[in-house]
Amino acid sequence: MAKVLEGLYYSESHEYVRVEGDFGYIGITDYAQNALGNVVYVDMPDVDDEVSAGEEFGAVESVKAASDLMSPVTGVVVEVNEALEDQPELINSDAYENWIIKVSIADKAELNDLMDAKAYAAFCEK
């Protein structure tokens, strides 16, 4: 069973967002990293790029497959997790500690369209 953390918001495309003030840390879920297998590359946007809810912002590549990253919220990228450039496998060791991008969230109402931990866990069991 994949790990699902309380207090995060989850999308149906298996990204999460951890909200801290006006910022959101976006990454892929434990379920997603399990499905992908060993992550070998993370394609990330640049700082100051805009991301839109439901739109692609990058990709994660594993030995098995490549998967587009879909932003759960709209905002502007304020930071990328540079550690993943040299060590993309950090996502496999802890997907929730190793976020991919940090964004300033444009509209927190978008969070209402995402799932909480309980709903996401049920979604993954389907």
Side-chain angles (χ1 to χ4, degrees):
M1 174 67 192
K3 184 167 70 171
V4 178
L5 297 186
E6 291 289 334
L8 304 181
Y9 297 89
Y10 297 90
S11 68
E12 289 188 1
S13 53
H14 304 288
E15 288 84 16
Y16 68 84
V17 57
R18 182 178 80 236
V19 178
E20 292 183 7
D22 293 330
F23 298 100
Y25 293 85
I26 299 170
I28 64 169
T29 65
D30 192 51
Y31 179 92
Q33 72 82 18
N34 273 331
L36 280 168
N38 293 333
V39 174
V40 295
Y41 179 71
V42 182
D43 180 30
M44 296 178 276
D46 294 321
V47 170
D48 294 332
D49 281 1
E50 291 185 17
V51 296
S52 299
E55 301 285 320
E56 180 186 337
F57 71 85
V60 173
E61 293 179 23
S62 72
V63 289
K64 289 198 278 191
S67 181
D68 289 337
L69 294 166
M70 309 302 275
S71 185
V73 292
T74 300
V76 175
V77 178
V78 294
E79 191 177 342
V80 297
N81 188 346
E82 293 179 3
L84 298 177
E85 291 174 9
D86 297 322
Q87 296 178 286
E89 68 278 4
L90 288 170
I91 288 176
N92 294 119
S93 60
D94 190 333
Y96 297 113
E97 277 299 312
N98 294 289
W99 49 273
I100 297 170
I101 60 172
K102 177 182 176 182
V103 300
S104 62
I105 300 173
D107 181 4
K108 286 192 176 171
E110 289 178 342
L111 297 170
N112 298 330
D113 297 333
L114 301 170
M115 291 176 277
D116 64 12
K118 185 177 176 187
Y120 181 70
F123 175 77
C124 289
E125 287 173 13
K126 288 181 185 168

